Amino acid sequence: MKLMEVGVKRARMKAGAAVLSCALLAGGTVAVARAAMGADSGTGGSGAAEQQAPATAPSTERVMLYDGGLASGWNDIGWAPRELPKGAPARMRLFNYGGWILYRPKLEGAFGALSFRFSAPESYGEFLEARLDTPGAVVFPRVPITPEMKVRKDGEWTEVVVPMDLLNPRGEPFDRVVLRASKEVGRDWVLFDKVALVPLPPEVAAALAAGGGKSGKGAGREARMSIDCTAPGHRISPLIYGIAFDGLHEKQDTHQFRMGATARRWGGNPTSRYNWKLGGAWNTANDWFFQNVDIGVSADDFLETNRKRGIQSALTVPLLGWVAKDTKSTGFPVSRFGPQQKEDNGNGNGVGRDGTPLKPGEPSLTSVEAPPSFVAEWVTSIREKDKARGARGVQMYILDNEPMLWSSTHRDVFPEPLGYDELMKRTIEYGTAVRKADPEAVIAGPAEWGWTNYLWSAQDFAPGKMTHSDRRAHGDVPLLPWYLRQLRDYEKKTGTRILDVVDLHFYPQTNVGVGLEGNTDKDTNARRIRSVRALWDPTYKDESWIGEPIRLIPRMKEWIAENYPGRGISIGEYNFGAFKHMSGGLAQAEALGRFAQEGITSAFFFQYPPEGSPVFWAFRAFRDFDGKGGHFEDTWVPAKAADGTSLFVSRDESGKKLVAVLLNFDPDEAAQAQIELKGCGTLDSVRVLGYSGAPGGFAEQTPGAKAEGSLTQRLPPYSMTVLDLTVKKP
């Protein structure tokens, strides 16, 4: 995958105050709605909520619909007999379930509530309801005006605030407001005035823009869960919370060091052609016009930064055989190869204007040879520096990056598809060089990109060759099992262990996007979250062109057990797209929980998420949920959760502290988690922190009811909840 996303700007959500409940009705949050009503409530001024809203909320002020007359742009329709006298409240007769509609075409804005005041005969009781509407098939809820929505009584006038969370739980566009009788009433006049749409506080708008921020109705659906402290657990590898180095932003960003990452990987396409002897020189490959560049950061800089910050390092070493010879040459200069399909300052993408790939020139156009001795020198130089400072600099060496894609990513120097035999030859030669230079090294490979190259080589799909001919020539054994078996046999024969960790990359093929990209419609969001199941769930049939269970981690465990026992597992690259949406954050939190559950060695998110994004806070759920170092503990505790939710549990060495991460995948409905603790001891203290899209991240929540061996906790829609528990051991 790309290490350099040239020209892509990462928007950052700035940390702010904790999100206010969109209900705007709990405790003091009603004051925000009242303040937003301003003159409506007779207080004067614009109110606390009338501050600048984010770009997602075009309305920065309340939108008046009716205030002693129709506001500009609004139309009066409906079916109740009515009078709209100039400079006075509107008068309605609401018998026969009468109603009033205020309509404005092309209404825009992100709103927190509908506010209005009305006066009606006391004998009518609770008779009024409100709803939104729009042409088409969208159906909005009919919301009764209940006593808790009546924020103030002023003589005969009652002031009302109706949360948008109730009126529009799915955030659909609308262009009209409906006020109507929900039961039969008399023919007396009902007066309405000061009808307004209240703007969202900026932090609420930001949460809703991220797909979260909803409170849901009532206590939520029942979700039974259990934590079983009597069942066997296992240690959680700290390296599952890894991220990747981003050469473009290494000197600009600092938040990657505040998200709690435990390890960083120097990897991606350009590292296949990194020349350690030239400092920051590598080739951007087909990610960006096959250009040699100086990224301004060397591998030594990367290792030193990690060391100073207490982060472990995984370093990709090149097996490709060619590395950048300078910081200016390019693989397909227009001056030599002519006009091309895409060009950048005289450099081409290697494809002719007619779409035909151009035949590359000699590798020396951009590169110098990098045999195994080149890598051996590099590892030796690293170890010499380690000895001088008394600390290991590299915790894992990775044998290149996605080799079965070299003939496309690095086609300017490696145009022919790689096969089984050549992969093994290079793995043994370069792996041996690493092992001799660093006998205690942890070595990982083959760092393949995805499904087809877990099972077949690049030669199996080469033009002009019979499909799967390379695999058939090797006993029709899938590539990864064959790779493991060959390295096992090599160790038995020579005594040299080449491989310690099996490293594969994983990206969902279900069209959910990569990185910041990815649609965030309801179906894509649900599929994005489901796609995590391909990592661990044997029953999940992949919803992409693959069309069968991937069960990647169980499959890797089987391959290792059958072909080379004792190897660890690393997911060297992965992400689920939509970094700035709650569906991306929930998918990421789910993945981290499953990595802990499955007991893998390491995982490296590619690359790292924007500051304050839901994916950023997904890491913090496990690594620093309270901003004071609160984190998922080191021992996995088995747990079960209801459909539509997940529960991941850990404990410390004493067993007296439990930390749980709970996820609610429903975008609209809350869940009422009813959690049973089996054999954990007597529940003592409960601290709850929650996140559902607010820029400020996790905020303290009110704990639910607890007993000696159980607790109940409400989980808002699309939310992450952390339970920080202590127990008294029996």
Side-chain angles (χ1 to χ4, degrees):
M1 292 297 295
K2 299 179 182 179
L3 188 59
M4 301 180 69
E5 300 289 345
V6 179
V8 176
K9 294 183 179 179
R10 294 189 173 189
R12 293 172 179 80
M13 299 170 66
K14 299 298 182 182
V19 65
L20 297 172
S21 168
C22 284
L24 292 174
L25 295 173
T29 56
V30 174
V32 176
R34 286 180 175 171
M37 294 168 68
D40 301 16
S41 56
T43 60
S46 60
E50 292 194 56
Q51 49 191 297
Q52 184 167 347
T56 54
S59 292
T60 59
E61 299 178 353
R62 62 183 171 168
V63 173
M64 295 303 305
L65 285 65
Y66 189 94
D67 184 8
L70 283 170
S72 177
W74 286 89
N75 301 289
D76 159 51
I77 55 179
W79 63 98
R82 60 197 179 277
E83 297 177 359
L84 277 63
K86 187 175 181 179
R91 293 151 47 103
M92 310 278 153
R93 298 187 190 273
L94 298 181
F95 62 92
N96 289 336
Y97 298 88
W100 184 33
I101 302 174
L102 293 165
Y103 163 61
R104 179 175 179 174
K106 299 181 180 179
L107 175 65
E108 293 183 343
F111 304 106
L114 168 69
S115 67
F116 61 91
R117 63 195 311 194
F118 77 97
S119 177
E122 292 288 343
S123 61
Y124 284 11
E126 305 298 330
F127 75 100
L128 196 58
E129 72 177 24
R131 67 178 171 86
L132 308 178
D133 206 354
T134 190
V138 177
V139 177
F140 292 87
R142 296 166 59 171
V143 180
I145 304 304
T146 53
E148 61 266 24
M149 298 178 192
K150 299 173 182 178
V151 298
R152 190 166 68 171
K153 186 80 170 175
D154 181 12
E156 295 181 357
W157 288 96
T158 300
E159 294 177 357
V160 174
V161 175
V162 189
M164 198 59 61
D165 197 34
L166 301 180
L167 290 165
N168 194 4
R170 296 182 181 274
E172 302 281 1
F174 66 94
D175 62 6
R176 59 201 73 191
V177 173
V178 183
L179 298 171
R180 60 164 292 173
S182 60
K183 68 177 184 179
E184 186 57 79
V185 295
R187 294 175 177 266
D188 292 5
W189 290 110
V190 176
L191 278 58
F192 292 95
D193 203 6
K194 309 294 186 183
V195 185
L197 290 168
V198 177
L200 283 173
E203 63 272 20
V204 177
L208 291 174
K214 299 178 182 178
S215 63
K217 297 179 180 179
R221 70 188 186 280
E222 182 181 282
R224 292 194 173 275
M225 303 180 176
S226 63
I227 300 171
D228 191 354
C229 295
T230 67
H234 57 252
R235 298 290 290 176
I236 300 169
S237 169
L239 300 184
I240 63 173
Y241 309 109
I243 59 173
F245 166 79
D246 181 348
L248 256 186
H249 300 98
E250 176 75 359
K251 292 185 175 181
Q252 302 172 24
D253 294 342
T254 59
H255 69 272
Q256 68 269 37
F257 303 113
R258 297 195 302 273
M259 57 189 287
T262 52
R264 289 207 301 166
R265 166 181 170 262
W266 171 277
N269 293 338
T271 58
S272 295
R273 292 170 63 186
Y274 175 69
N275 189 338
W276 66 274
K277 294 183 177 181
L278 297 182
W282 63 23
N283 183 282
T284 58
N286 69 345
D287 292 340
W288 196 256
F289 300 96
F290 303 93
Q291 296 181 26
N292 288 354
V293 298
D294 182 354
I295 58 170
V297 181
S298 69
D300 282 345
D301 295 332
F302 164 80
L303 297 176
E304 182 62 13
T305 297
N306 291 348
R307 187 185 69 81
K308 287 181 177 178
R309 293 183 177 272
I311 295 174
Q312 297 198 42
S313 299
L315 188 73
T316 296
V317 295
L319 276 63
L320 181 66
W322 297 94
V323 296
K325 70 177 184 181
D326 55 31
T327 58
K328 60 184 179 181
S329 299
T330 183
F332 294 95
V334 174
S335 60
R336 174 168 173 173
F337 290 87
Q340 296 170 50
Q341 194 178 60
K342 294 181 180 180
E343 297 175 6
D344 173 58
N345 196 30
N347 304 315
N349 67 342
V351 179
R353 290 284 174 90
D354 62 356
T356 302
L358 301 176
K359 182 179 179 180
E362 62 277 7
S364 60
L365 192 62
T366 60
S367 306
V368 294
E369 289 189 75
S373 59
F374 176 87
V375 170
E377 286 182 57
W378 188 17
V379 175
T380 298
S381 72
I382 291 171
R383 291 301 290 142
E384 288 174 351
K385 293 172 185 174
D386 290 349
K387 292 172 184 175
R389 62 175 167 246
R392 171 172 283 277
V394 176
Q395 281 70 40
M396 179 185 290
Y397 295 97
I398 304 171
L399 300 179
D400 216 290
N401 181 78
E402 301 176 346
M404 291 302 165
L405 296 182
W406 285 346
S407 55
S408 59
T409 53
H410 299 283
R411 60 179 295 268
D412 60 322
V413 296
F414 201 97
E416 296 301 320
L418 189 68
Y420 278 54
D421 292 336
E422 184 66 17
L423 172 64
M424 185 52 53
K425 178 176 181 291
R426 289 172 181 267
T427 298
I428 290 174
E429 289 178 349
Y430 285 84
T432 299
V434 173
R435 180 65 68 202
K436 288 183 177 179
D438 186 354
E440 290 78 38
V442 173
I443 303 176
E448 274 305 343
W449 79 270
W451 179 251
T452 53
N453 292 139
Y454 305 158
L455 305 174
W456 298 278
S457 75
Q459 284 188 9
D460 279 318
F461 303 98
K465 291 193 175 185
M466 185 178 296
T467 303
H468 301 170
S469 59
D470 194 27
R471 174 165 154 172
R472 291 193 183 101
H474 294 84
D476 202 26
V477 179
L479 177 63
L480 259 295
W482 180 87
Y483 174 89
L484 290 169
R485 197 176 303 172
Q486 293 295 308
L487 292 175
R488 176 200 65 191
D489 293 345
Y490 182 81
E491 182 179 356
K492 287 182 178 179
K493 180 179 178 181
T494 66
T496 300
R497 185 180 72 258
I498 299 295
L499 192 75
D500 301 289
V501 176
V502 181
D503 177 31
L504 296 179
H505 299 176
F506 172 80
Y507 292 93
Q509 300 299 299
T510 57
N511 194 29
V512 298
V514 176
L516 293 170
E517 300 172 357
N519 293 335
T520 53
D521 58 277
K522 182 179 179 182
D523 289 343
T524 303
N525 293 340
R527 191 168 65 252
R528 176 176 293 113
I529 294 169
R530 287 197 303 272
S531 71
V532 183
R533 293 171 60 189
L535 286 168
W536 65 274
D537 186 355
T539 69
Y540 174 67
K541 182 178 179 181
D542 195 73
E543 299 171 65
S544 72
W545 54 270
I546 295 172
E548 62 180 278
I550 294 176
R551 56 186 194 88
L552 181 58
I553 296 174
R555 187 186 295 268
M556 292 171 75
K557 289 179 178 179
E558 291 170 6
W559 282 343
I560 290 168
E562 294 169 3
N563 298 285
Y564 199 0
R567 303 315 93 191
I569 291 174
S570 180
I571 307 299
E573 279 188 18
Y574 73 96
N575 70 57
F576 303 92
F579 289 178
K580 297 198 290 184
H581 193 269
M582 278 301 296
S583 63
L586 287 165
Q588 180 59 36
E590 172 77 356
L592 293 175
R594 298 300 174 182
F595 294 153
Q597 170 186 292
E598 295 298 319
I600 68 172
T601 302
S602 56
F604 298 93
F605 180 88
F606 195 85
Q607 290 165 298
Y608 54 83
E611 183 174 9
S613 66
V615 175
F616 175 94
W617 290 110
F619 272 89
R620 289 282 290 264
F622 289 86
R623 297 299 305 150
D624 188 9
F625 51 78
D626 58 2
K628 300 177 182 178
H631 60 86
F632 210 60
E633 296 293 333
D634 297 331
T635 299
W636 168 262
V637 178
K640 294 181 180 179
D643 289 345
T645 65
S646 280
L647 169 62
F648 305 110
V649 185
S650 63
R651 62 172 174 82
D652 67 357
E653 188 173 349
S654 73
K656 296 179 181 179
K657 183 178 181 63
L658 298 173
V659 174
V661 175
L662 297 87
L663 309 176
N664 181 7
F665 301 125
D666 193 304
D668 301 304
E669 187 178 5
Q672 190 72 12
Q674 300 178 3
I675 308 167
E676 179 187 4
L677 282 72
K678 298 180 180 179
C680 301
T682 301
L683 188 59
D684 186 13
S685 68
V686 178
R687 186 168 64 132
V688 182
L689 294 97
Y691 170 76
S692 57
F698 282 90
E700 295 273 354
Q701 306 289 313
T702 302
K706 74 180 180 76
E708 285 189 359
S710 66
L711 70 155
T712 300
Q713 187 64 43
R714 187 180 187 276
L715 311 178
Y718 256 19
S719 65
M720 308 174 198
T721 301
V722 177
L723 301 181
D724 188 9
L725 312 175
T726 61
V727 296
K728 295 178 180 178
K729 300 295 288 183

